[in-house]
Amino acid sequence: MARGGVGTAHGITLQQLRYFVEVAAEGSITAAADLLQVSQPTMSAAMKDLERRVGRVLLRRSVRGAALTEDGIEFLGYARQVVEQAELLDHRYLGRPPARRLLAVSAQHYSFVVEAFVRMVKASGAAEYAFTLRETRTADIIEDVRTLRSELGVLYRSDFNRKVIDKLLRDSELVFTPLFLASPHIFVARTNPLASRRRVTLEDLEGLPRLTFDQGTDNSFYFAEEILSTRSAAQDIRVSDRATIFNLMIGLDGYTISTGIVSDDLDPSIVAVPLEVDERIEIGWIGHASAPLTGQAERFVAEMREVVASFGVEPLS
């Protein structure tokens, strides 16, 4: 008897795979049916038949929608590959227009990720697409990628959090691929007295509000987006988004610690100043160990490497 308690058959169709990819992206059989302009009963029947053919329960249905099971998460990685390759064949040999592009990314709050995402969208060449960029908490990034709500995530490791992050990734069957190594910098407003300094020390930061990204119920030091998370600060403010943190840098002369890569186009009022500490920040992307990236995700990773290189930082292989 196959796992999941359903019978086994053969002959998965490409249409079923396309339907399944859309259901996973929308989190709803009804929403996917509306998007693809088929009836809800047709879509539901196609998903049940797909599960019967593969001998696995792929979707967990509820009044709130359809969520992937563990088998569904693994199956989706392969289904995306097959659908994308079929669409490339249609485009190359049958002259059909590029298919609707799909990609979801979850990331810590990095402007280089946003810039790479912008470049990827502009270069997609698709008349229709459904892209998602979630700037979110560290634990949510890992969970998003584990459940394939996002195909890949972007976060950092350091000597301090490496063991904890790596264990979480192993437990979730995820793999961390290094993107680049960064020397710590502070981000401050151009009007901040420290903005004109060539370098700053931790002592220079005393008396200034420290700004960090809130990690919710998982507000562990190991989940912090900023290094030196265990260091106390007399004035400490937690925020939930980049726009707020930048506004507080300007309004309160606050600072945060990050990679040193900040885009003048996206964040013209913020500058990065090197911080004199014996630390290194390793930025990388995470994905499923058993599911290779789709072409669209690979293009996004390539754009991240190009953006990083444009700031004089050498990407890691």
Side-chain angles (χ1 to χ4, degrees):
M1 175 68 68
R3 285 186 298 160
V6 292
T8 303
H10 301 289
I12 301 170
T13 69
L14 184 57
Q15 183 183 60
Q16 286 176 322
L17 295 182
R18 285 177 170 143
Y19 284 179
F20 180 73
V21 169
E22 292 291 353
V23 170
E26 297 298 320
S28 165
I29 290 176
T30 300
D34 291 342
L35 184 66
L36 297 177
Q37 299 181 332
V38 300
S39 70
Q40 190 275 339
T42 296
M43 179 68 75
S44 183
M47 293 301 92
K48 288 180 180 178
D49 185 58
L50 175 63
E51 290 177 317
R52 180 179 63 83
R53 289 172 184 267
V54 301
R56 302 286 188 274
V57 175
L58 305 177
L59 297 168
R60 187 177 297 108
R61 298 158 177 83
S62 71
V63 293
R64 291 176 293 182
L68 294 174
T69 64
E70 292 298 321
D71 282 330
I73 290 170
E74 181 180 5
F75 186 80
L76 177 60
Y78 294 103
R80 281 173 170 167
Q81 293 290 316
V82 173
V83 169
E84 184 174 56
Q85 291 302 312
E87 290 170 347
L88 288 173
L89 287 172
D90 284 350
H91 177 55
R92 176 68 178 83
Y93 294 102
L94 301 181
R96 294 177 180 171
R100 180 173 179 263
R101 293 293 180 228
L102 298 171
L103 179 65
V105 176
S106 294
Q108 291 175 333
H109 301 78
Y110 300 124
S111 63
F112 78 86
V113 171
V114 178
E115 186 167 343
F117 197 84
V118 169
R119 292 187 183 189
M120 182 269 298
V121 172
K122 289 182 176 179
S124 68
E128 299 181 13
Y129 53 73
F131 295 135
T132 302
L133 175 59
R134 303 182 185 93
E135 287 191 331
T136 189
R137 298 163 176 166
T138 303
D140 291 339
I141 293 169
I142 295 172
E143 181 64 10
D144 283 351
V145 180
R146 186 190 72 82
T147 61
L148 278 176
R149 184 177 186 227
S150 290
E151 187 172 349
L152 59 84
V154 184
L155 46 74
Y156 95 97
R157 296 189 306 192
S158 68
D159 290 340
F160 175 71
N161 72 2
R162 184 182 305 273
K163 288 184 179 179
V164 172
I165 295 297
D166 284 353
K167 183 180 186 307
L168 282 172
L169 296 180
R170 285 195 304 271
D171 291 346
S172 300
E173 298 185 347
L174 304 179
V175 175
F176 181 97
T177 301
L179 187 62
F180 67 95
L181 288 174
S183 298
H185 288 62
I186 61 165
F187 285 177
V188 292
R190 290 186 182 277
T191 55
N192 190 298
L194 297 179
S196 60
R197 299 276 294 273
R198 295 188 63 181
R199 303 186 73 81
V200 296
T201 65
L202 292 175
E203 288 71 27
D204 294 326
L205 303 178
E206 293 180 2
L208 297 180
R210 180 176 66 180
L211 310 173
T212 59
F213 286 106
D214 181 72
Q215 297 298 321
T217 56
D218 293 300
N219 228 335
S220 161
F221 292 131
Y222 298 107
F223 289 96
E225 290 191 32
E226 306 82 14
I227 63 168
L228 306 174
S229 58
T230 59
R231 187 174 182 269
S232 63
Q235 300 169 323
D236 208 355
I237 302 175
R238 294 176 181 172
V239 302
S240 59
D241 62 86
R242 270 193 313 126
T244 299
I245 210 169
F246 288 161
N247 287 337
L248 293 176
M249 287 179 197
I250 297 168
L252 295 176
D253 276 340
Y255 73 92
T256 193
I257 302 175
S258 192
T259 63
I261 298 179
V262 59
S263 171
D264 288 338
D265 293 335
L266 295 175
D267 310 306
S269 58
I270 305 301
V271 297
V273 183
L275 177 62
E276 290 186 354
V277 291
D278 188 22
E279 296 270 357
R280 295 279 272 176
I281 302 171
E282 183 183 37
I283 308 292
W285 58 269
I286 61 173
H288 263 269
S290 61
L293 293 182
T294 61
Q296 194 66 49
E298 289 179 345
R299 283 187 284 274
F300 173 68
V301 171
E303 293 290 359
M304 285 199 293
R305 288 197 169 99
E306 288 192 14
V307 170
V308 168
S310 71
F311 284 90
V313 178
E314 184 176 357
L316 300 172
S317 57

